[in-house]
Amino acid sequence: MTQILKAVVALRVILTLYLLLLDLPVESTSEFHPYKVLGVTKSASHAEIKKAYKRLVREWHPDKNRDPGAEDMFIKISKSYEILSNEEKRANYDQYGQMDENRQHAQPHQGFRHFHDNFYFDESFFHFPRASRDFADSKYALHYTQYMSDVVPDSFKRPYLIKITSDWCFTCIHIEPVWKETVQDLEGLGVGIGVVDVGYERRLANQLGAHRTPSILGLINGKVTFFHYSIVKEHLRQFVEDLLPQKLVEKVTDRNYLDFLNSWHEENKPHVLLFDQVPTVPLLYKLAAFAFKDYVRFGYVDQGLTETADLLQKFNVNTYAPTMLLFKENTDKPVDVIQAKGMKKQIVDEFISSNRFLVVPRLVNQKVFDELCPVKQFHRRRKYCVLLITGADESLAPGNAAFLSFAAFNTKEVLRFAYVYQRRQQPLCDALLKSKETALPQVVILERRNAAGKVLYRAVTGGWNGSEEDKFRLQEQLDILQKDPSFLTYDAVLPELNNEFASMFLIQWIYSAYDYLSQIVEDVLHSNWREMMPLLSLIFSALFILFGTVIIQAFSDPSEEKQPKPKPKEAPKTENGSGNGAASSSRPPKKSFVEVTELTDITYTSNLVKLRPGHINVLLVLTDASKNVLLSKFAKEVYSFTGSQTLHYSFLNADKHREWMDSVLEFAQDPTQADSDEEEDAGGHRADYAGFVMALNGHKKYFCLFRPVYTPGRPRGAVLRRGRGWERRRQVAVELPGGAAAEAQPRSASTLQIHHKLDRLGLWMERLMEGTLPRHYIPSWPGLDKITAGK
């Protein structure tokens, strides 16, 4: 017995030393020295670190430095400044030599603890490293953040097969050969693969609902489905195939092929036909149909059926190899063909990706518009969109056909052709046509300038009827445009397109509900009670609430219901201007004024630093000279958004708190322009912050910035009124036009200029509510010393 114990201890020592030697390179390669990257010492002040950061950013910015390693160096510089500019992170690095997140990521790869901690016999003695397995899963290992940010969105384009395992799972070793063979087969077809180790990713395992190992599950469209059958390659392949939605691929024969190909007009999609000799649709083709379901319609022709003989003869298809034909507007002749005995995923994806749109697609939603006519990028080639504004009437069909034939002969990459129905996209057409009575059809050439909808455009003179003269005139203007981009002389802001396929949402919802009910029935049949517990708990809770309500109503006194309810008192306003009522954010407030709180050292903590999660403080920056004018204009622009319970309104006096503005706006500037900012400061010019508006998220520590703009037009303003308790609470109530106390005031020329600073603030507020504004993150909000005005 003594000899056995000695042998065990010796084996234990050898294993520990072996693992220590294996882990040494990992530690050496993971070293990161922020001080060395920025070229400063550990005793450097914050100003020295900031100066070194700005100098290195100007030197290593990828847009200025053509060195191949400039991008990596720029990332290191940014990461180093992030660590050293934060006192807590810098102290943590100085003490431990690395950040907490780095140590957490490195922890799972060690697989052991220190030798003196593991000398005694505990559970880690039998903890075998994952590298000892036949099939290494590290390539497919999933982490919680990666799963939520990458895998779930990607599951709307391809299904995932995920294995749940652990180091203590001896059964996992037995399924390893089958899993390895299945992964090699399905990954080549385009199926995503993932492995979750419960020992290291307990949070992700709970998110997936996996409570035992080994488990295999599928993920598609963000929904998790468990595999309940014996682990065999054929069963796993069929499981992945069953995950895909029904009716992805339509069976096409001699009887229905014309209806299938001619549906391009209603669906606004190209159509693909796959010819093969197998009776079932290949999985590769189904996966391609799922990945491109939003762009292309897929059909399958079984060459072994007698009902497809005429179809094979019409398109002269070779029966000895799978063939794919792609059709667009012309259903008599395919625009592209591929034929190969061994179809590969890469070949199929490239074939379909290069033909995602029709020759002249219809703009049916904003997504198609964004992809077909992208926003102009300075580092890319210009894209011009030639848009035909027409209708669905039969009288307009000849002009539409002539536009299609013209586009078919203009295949330049710089030009994109599309058409739109005026009645279905009326707001878009009104923005491009000067008069609503303009005769259709009309051709407009436009170039998108930004994501907010701004375009430069020019309508082709003379309209469009499809004649040879019209084609010559359009070609002439396109040639001029490619030589002189200033040919587009008009500008407009286009609204978001209507989704013409929104009516199909109900059908998609029915299919989703059917799939969900089928999954519930499958789980019940397999007695998977542990995974069904959340659903059962929800059902029993709903039944309990329902029966509880019935019992309360049965025993309640009916005379109480007849008594008239007292009128609820108006909810008092809090300091940040938000009521505690349950008013919907889509309804405007009943009051005719907007309450705005001044941001001072007293209200700073509650209105910003400790602002509740999900709440945003919309801050107006003003000066003593522009206070009344800007507050009145600010109230007019944000009044329609005051029904939201999550938005609060404040103002900040830049004359008192300029230092705070300088500190915050430092994180909104381009680092490459830092030298120009320093020159302005050295010249003694002070920035004019009046009219700046900032949406501050105190919890997540970011802000969105609105810079003042000037637009022509005569202003129509409102009058500023002080309510009761203004001196005590330092709040102002701004009357809206049409209120009882509204009155007109004469304004000077400087007042008019200040008034126009907040033009288009309403559009900026709409983008804020949509979440499409750029966000500037800040490590921490400036302290009270930068808020309190100097005496």
Side-chain angles (χ1 to χ4, degrees), residues 49-61:
I49 293 174
K50 181 179 177 181
K51 184 177 181 181
Y53 165 71
K54 290 184 176 181
R55 176 178 55 80
L56 291 174
V57 161
R58 290 195 297 268
E59 178 183 354
W60 291 98
H61 198 282

Side-chain angles (χ1 to χ4, degrees), residues 272-275 285 317 321-326 334-341 343-352 354-355:
V272 175
L273 281 178
L274 172 65
F275 295 80
Y285 194 57
V317 177
T323 306
M324 293 181 67
L325 307 181
L326 192 140
V335 297
D336 204 352
V337 180
I338 59 170
Q339 187 177 53
K341 287 188 176 181
M343 284 281 188
K344 301 295 183 181
K345 176 183 180 301
Q346 184 178 0
I347 298 176
V348 175
D349 289 350
E350 291 178 356
F351 175 73
I352 300 175
S354 58
N355 296 282

Side-chain angles (χ1 to χ4, degrees), residues 680-717:
E680 290 180 1
D681 295 338
H685 301 289
R686 303 180 66 186
D688 181 16
Y689 292 135
F692 278 58
V693 179
M694 306 170 69
L696 308 171
N697 190 317
H699 179 69
K700 293 189 176 180
K701 296 180 182 178
Y702 71 80
F703 64 92
C704 305
L705 183 62
F706 170 85
R707 299 179 184 273
V709 296
Y710 299 93
T711 57
R714 185 173 184 177
R716 297 175 60 188

